[in-house]
Amino acid sequence: MQPDTTLLAFDTSAAHCAAALLLHGTVHTRVEEMSRGQGERLMLLLEELLAAHGLGWGDLDGLGVGTGPGNFTGIRISVSAARGLALGLGKPAVGVSMFETTQHLSGRAQTSVPAPRDQLYVYDPETMGAPILAAPDDLTAAYASATAFPAEDHIRQVALIAAAQLHDAPPAPKPVYVKPPDAAPAREAPPVILP
């Protein structure tokens, strides 16, 4: 990471709208707890954070974005915002998963993130090719839990990890989906296509 890097990071993959600004080696965070409305609040929160430090969008060297796992819609909100901003600003955007932030915060490779229906997303980079969905048991109890750390700590780590990877960033951040979305099936019959 360059000591003079200015980076804006954000995440909406959980029941919050979180943002962090890395400026002169210090990370400034804002987290608002919310279960809905992240799409309407995110850009305003980012603009407020920039304005509070006398900055505009053009002052950024890059972006960091939380890529999940978590709420499907929340992940789509932040990842699509990061992609759009990166394209519009001509700046790199780095995706950072909650597994990565938990690894940095806990100092452990084996990590878990809460999943719906009292399950866990678990990941051990030493034995797994990709994260899996698991029921809590004695094995998963040994994993470092993302919930052991507040959202402020996670978004701070998104900023720091993204800043360290800024110059090696892939073209666009990718969401971390451990399982496909579980949307309800359509209630209506599909339209009939006429010849």
Side-chain angles (χ1 to χ4, degrees):
M1 172 179 73
Q2 305 278 341
D4 57 345
T5 298
T6 302
L7 182 135
L8 187 62
F10 47 93
D11 178 47
T12 57
S13 65
H16 62 245
C17 196
L21 176 65
L22 174 62
L23 180 64
H24 305 303
T26 302
V27 181
H28 308 274
T29 63
R30 287 200 183 171
V31 176
E32 296 179 6
E33 300 297 326
M34 58 178 56
S35 57
R36 293 174 192 234
Q38 292 97 330
E40 292 80 12
R41 182 67 182 126
L42 178 62
M43 296 308 291
L44 293 172
L45 179 66
L46 298 179
E47 288 178 343
E48 289 168 7
L49 186 56
L50 287 170
H53 295 278
L55 300 174
W57 294 104
D59 297 313
L60 298 174
D61 297 310
L63 303 161
V65 61
T67 57
N71 176 287
F72 180 80
T73 302
I75 295 169
R76 305 257 330 152
I77 290 167
S78 56
V79 171
S80 61
R83 288 178 175 181
L85 285 168
L87 184 63
L89 297 171
K91 306 288 183 179
V94 178
V96 180
S97 75
M98 194 168 286
F99 295 117
E100 292 174 272
T101 62
T102 305
Q103 288 168 348
H104 281 260
L105 291 166
S106 68
R108 297 175 52 201
Q110 296 176 320
T111 55
S112 69
V113 176
R117 298 178 187 86
D118 297 322
Q119 293 187 311
L120 296 170
Y121 300 120
V122 296
Y123 183 53
D124 180 356
E126 297 170 2
T127 63
M128 298 176 182
I132 62 168
L133 183 65
D137 60 18
D138 292 337
L139 177 66
T140 59
Y143 284 51
S145 175
T147 59
F149 307 95
E152 289 85 0
D153 290 352
H154 283 285
I155 194 62
R156 182 176 288 109
Q157 286 301 314
V158 171
L160 293 171
I161 294 167
Q165 298 175 5
L166 199 56
H167 300 292
D168 300 322
K174 294 183 180 179
V176 175
Y177 299 130
V178 178
K179 65 182 191 81
D182 55 356
R187 293 181 185 193
E188 298 174 9
V192 176
I193 300 175
L194 301 173

